[in-house]
Amino acid sequence: MNRKLRMGMVGGGRGAFIGAVHRMAANLDGKIELVAGCFSSDPEKSKASGDDLFLSPDRVYRSYEEMAEKESALAPGERIDFVSIVARNDLHFRVAEKFLKSGIHVICEKPLALSLDEGKKLEAIVKESGLVFALTHNYTGYPMVKEAKAMVKEGKLGKILKIVAEYPQGYAISDYEAASEGDGKISNWRMDPSISGVSNCIGDIGSHAENLAQYISGLKLEEVSADLNTFIPGRNLDDDGSMLCRYEGGARGVLFASQISTGEENNLNIRIYGTKASIEWHQEHPNELVVKYADKPRETWRRGNSYNGEAAAKYTRLPFGHPEAFIEAFANVYLAAAEAISDAIEGNYKGADSYDFPTVADGVEGMAFIEAAVKSSSENGAWTKI
């Protein structure tokens, strides 16, 4: 490509944390330019957000429907090449469907949809369209996560026996105190099933742990025995969950996600144990991957060094000793998706499996995981197939 890709955005207006993250990530490598958007369901807020981003007023839209219709009607040299969807969960399916049917590639925040049924419908739409669809499970973008995946694929761990994935946060514990003291019902759209779906904690952060485990290990999750809990008074959905996991090939696992783990920040971490070696990675220290053996000292692999494999090196921007983190990981999802979109524009798209970004299929698996965990918990931890 001899130009930047033109990006549109739905959601992510004033005050939205994740929208700003996506814009920074998309801009990081200089291959993408934001040119249009519908940043809020409130037309005035959308217009104000467009002004903040110095966009032409005629490319800031009152609704996502108007945006899809008007952008798809523009000449190929002017219209957006793809849309980034960073709206609430209940809008993901509708917005993605509209843009895909308008012939526009999609990068979408997770979860894929509001339900597994919606997710399957969207998967069919993506397949029929032949367009690029990337899901921003951003933790797969870290170079040392890619190094871990490569180690497993190359057989350096041997047969995988055990996977332990955790994502504890403590930010919601203040809500527990407020609700317990009668300071009013906690208001959060993630706790509204009509907007968030059947789960809060497992759907929001547990799905990241599930996706990371499958991405690195290459093993499909087959069954779960789950115990989901709601500790904060006045909430309608879970804020904590634990489960046992059964993977294909006989591997077993433990998955834990919580938003009431006092003192934790974003401590996503994973340990994978094989017959030859094991690996350990922590999101709060993302530039290091620990490799452990039974018969020799453990090793700490660090990002940016010459001993890193091709998978990590491709998505490393800075020399060793200069930390890369959250924005760069997000940017790596955009970088891989941009490669696919550029190939598609030039008639060389090789199919989603040829690129290193989470796909609509990963999103469907995530929705199946969430619904299985909720079903299992409702049946007192009964083993439930994914």
Side-chain angles (χ1 to χ4, degrees), residues 11 22 40 61 116 118 125 136 161 165 177 210 227 235 241 260 265 272 277 292 305 324 326 352 362 373:
H22 278 258
S40 173
Y61 299 96
L116 176 57
E118 278 192 354
I125 293 168
T136 53
L161 302 178
E177 296 296 333
E210 172 268 334
D227 177 29
R235 289 198 155 180
I260 48 82
E265 295 177 357
I272 299 181
K292 294 175 276 190
N305 286 275
E324 293 185 21
F326 188 72
D362 294 302

Side-chain angles (χ1 to χ4, degrees), residues 7-27 34 39 49 53 84-87 109 136 190 326-327 330 334:
M7 168 182 164
M9 177 169 278
V10 173
R14 283 185 174 180
F17 159 74
I18 203 64
V21 168
H22 278 258
R23 289 190 292 271
M24 286 187 283
N27 189 56
L34 178 67
F39 301 101
S49 299
L53 298 167
S84 178
I85 302 171
V86 295
E109 250 298 332
T136 53
R190 293 188 182 280
F326 188 72
I327 299 297
F330 245 109
Y334 271 90

Side-chain angles (χ1 to χ4, degrees), residues 152 157 159-166 209-221 243-248 250-256 269-274 279:
V152 172
L157 272 64
K159 179 179 174 60
I160 302 302
L161 302 178
K162 189 81 171 182
I163 300 171
V164 181
E166 304 173 325
E210 172 268 334
N211 176 261
L212 188 66
Q214 293 203 57
Y215 178 79
I216 295 175
S217 72
L219 301 178
K220 300 295 184 184
L221 181 58
M243 66 192 76
L244 300 177
C245 303
R246 291 173 176 168
Y247 292 88
E248 63 180 348
R252 295 294 185 259
V254 178
L255 191 151
F256 154 59
N269 65 85
I270 187 166
R271 299 183 295 282
I272 299 181
Y273 299 93
I279 53 178

